[in-house]
Amino acid sequence: MPNTSTTFMGLQLRNPVIVGSSGLTRSLEKVKECEAAGAGAVVLKSLFEEVLAAKDFGVKDSVMDHSEAYDYYFAHLELLYGSKDYTDMIKAAKAATTIPIIASINCVSTKWWPDFAVQVESAGADALGLNVFTTATDLTMDSNKLEELYYEILSTVKEKISIPVALKIGPWFSALPHLAVEFGQRKLDGLVLFNRFTQPDIDINEMKLKTGFSFSSESEVALPLRWTALMSHYLPYDICATTGVKTSENVIKLLLAGASSVQVASVLYEQGLGAIGEMVAGLEKWMSEKGFENINDFKGKLNFHNAAVPSHYLRAQFMEKIAEYE
Ligand SMILES: Cc1cc2nc3c(=O)[nH]c(=O)nc-3n(C[C@H](O)[C@H](O)[C@H](O)COP(=O)(O)O)c2cc1C
């Protein structure tokens, strides 16, 4: 039987299939189910700053309302009590399972990231994923300034904790490889490519805005595949690919492109947790057929650096491919 063990952020995983942050990892029971289904690791449902901020801790009508002191006091209450359920779950998951438990936080204001990070480390999380997204709407803010925000979040969190830290980012950067190298210089331990977002939509009857959400489709895997392949050889940390991963074929392709693991969510909502076992079994079968004993025997074999025809990763408008449909 081939050995499917791999790494993410330096953590040892029994296989590359990680259950991504979602409702599938939001409670101790669900985390135990993921482990029983064969997951290599789990990323807990993100702790969202906005959700904490929306909680009423019973001080809103106090004399401090609207003052700066109130903001400060309120934020500390959130930190003390709002995230307690989360840290309790980390402790319980660590006690009840043996797979790596990766916490995940999503903050809007830079100042609170390090405080949450310290809390999840103290609770015993094996690692921390930072789910960062900023929509560029400020006409005076150039891409350097926007990227500085990511560096600042990463550096301040890395200063405060010693467990490994990953960034989960979206695909919209003008020079992603440069950004990824800069992350490495700030001691990033893993990069998750890419987060998938809800999208704004317009109701044409009501003439109102609404938010659209759907599970991913398999065709979306092409985007993380391309960028994993373009960057994996040059980065000092692990890449974990996500979005559109549905089958063992997808997992194998992403490993060949240089990812060391994948994260899945949509397929598990659609097909149940049994899809984890199918992906791992398909990977083992393929490795046996190809004579690979370990993931490192083929990881990155078809990345941009190693591929015989790397231009496939560069050209976005292959005329001969388009012509087939014209
Ligand atoms: C119902 C649902 C809830 C999610 N919640 C989170 C979350 O809290 N934090 C996060 O970083 N990603 C969240 N995600 C994104 C997933 O972790 C994953 O990155 C994304 O869905 C792409 O993977 P997929 O194509 O396998 O669904 C969520 C996805 C789904 C479907």
Side-chain angles (χ1 to χ4, degrees):
M1 186 67 86
N3 178 357
T4 58
S5 67
T6 185
T7 58
F8 176 46
M9 307 157 87
L11 302 170
Q12 281 296 324
L13 274 52
R14 59 180 164 173
N15 68 61
V17 182
I18 300 173
V19 180
S21 177
S22 62
L24 300 161
T25 59
R26 74 174 331 139
S27 68
L28 172 63
E29 278 320 302
K30 285 182 175 291
V31 170
K32 287 201 301 203
E33 283 169 22
C34 292
E35 179 178 51
V42 295
V43 184
L44 299 180
K45 174 74 190 166
S46 300
L47 183 65
F48 281 86
E49 181 186 355
E50 300 103 304
V51 175
L52 293 182
K55 284 194 185 175
D56 183 353
F57 294 93
V59 293
K60 279 198 162 157
D61 298 327
S62 79
V63 286
M64 290 187 288
D65 217 358
H66 303 303
S67 72
E68 212 174 295
Y70 166 78
D71 283 346
Y72 186 75
Y73 182 55
F74 186 56
H76 268 278
L77 282 173
E78 287 160 21
L79 282 170
L80 283 176
Y81 300 111
S83 54
K84 189 172 179 310
D85 292 349
Y86 198 71
T87 50
D88 283 351
M89 187 176 60
I90 294 172
K91 283 181 198 152
K94 278 307 295 170
T97 62
T98 56
I99 54 173
I101 302 294
I102 302 166
S104 168
I105 56 179
N106 177 309
C107 292
V108 181
S109 46
T110 31
K111 61 182 176 178
W112 298 122
W113 291 89
D115 298 86
F116 287 141
V118 168
Q119 288 188 50
V120 301
E121 180 180 53
S122 311
D126 292 297
L128 173 63
L130 305 175
N131 176 356
V132 193
F133 180 62
T134 48
T135 311
T137 52
D138 183 344
L139 299 183
T140 64
M141 187 187 254
D142 66 18
S143 50
N144 284 334
K145 279 209 201 101
L146 201 97
E147 288 165 10
E148 283 294 333
L149 198 65
Y150 285 74
Y151 301 149
E152 193 189 325
I153 291 166
L154 175 60
S155 300
T156 47
V157 169
K158 284 291 293 183
E159 261 169 39
K160 287 279 176 111
I161 59 174
S162 52
I163 54 173
V165 176
L167 277 168
K168 183 179 189 184
I169 60 171
W172 302 291
F173 292 96
S174 49
L176 190 53
H178 175 261
L179 186 78
V181 167
E182 290 286 322
F183 288 153
Q185 283 168 5
R186 289 162 180 80
K187 305 278 180 269
L188 184 72
D189 300 285
L191 186 61
V192 184
L193 303 174
F194 292 106
N195 205 351
R196 187 168 179 274
F197 305 98
T198 54
Q199 298 291 356
D201 197 0
I202 291 177
D203 181 326
I204 59 167
N205 293 318
E206 297 284 324
M207 293 213 290
K208 279 202 299 213
L209 285 183
K210 55 182 188 176
T211 296
F213 178 76
S214 59
F215 291 128
S216 63
S217 68
E218 196 177 341
S219 61
E220 293 176 55
V221 81
L223 192 65
L225 178 80
R226 175 191 288 241
W227 287 101
T228 298
L230 284 172
M231 301 194 297
S232 60
H233 178 80
Y234 308 99
L235 300 177
Y237 48 75
D238 293 331
I239 292 182
C240 176
T242 184
T243 291
V245 182
K246 305 278 176 152
T247 63
S248 57
E249 284 85 357
N250 299 148
V251 178
I252 295 162
K253 288 177 192 181
L254 290 163
L255 295 172
L256 283 166
S260 66
S261 62
V262 303
Q263 282 178 31
V264 288
S266 292
V267 69
L268 306 182
Y269 279 98
E270 291 163 331
Q271 297 176 19
L273 296 182
I276 299 171
E278 283 171 27
M279 281 187 259
V280 176
L283 170 63
E284 283 170 347
K285 183 167 175 285
W286 179 85
M287 285 173 70
S288 295
E289 283 165 8
K290 298 287 175 198
F292 294 129
E293 284 170 16
N294 297 295
I295 292 214
N296 277 340
D297 295 345
F298 66 94
K299 192 179 95 182
K301 217 174 165 53
L302 288 180
N303 66 22
F304 181 58
H305 180 82
N306 295 329
V309 192
S311 61
H312 282 271
Y313 288 122
L314 294 180
R315 293 194 62 188
Q317 287 165 331
F318 259 120
M319 288 318 296
E320 55 272 41
K321 284 286 151 209
I322 297 170
E324 285 171 21
Y325 295 90
E326 284 177 334

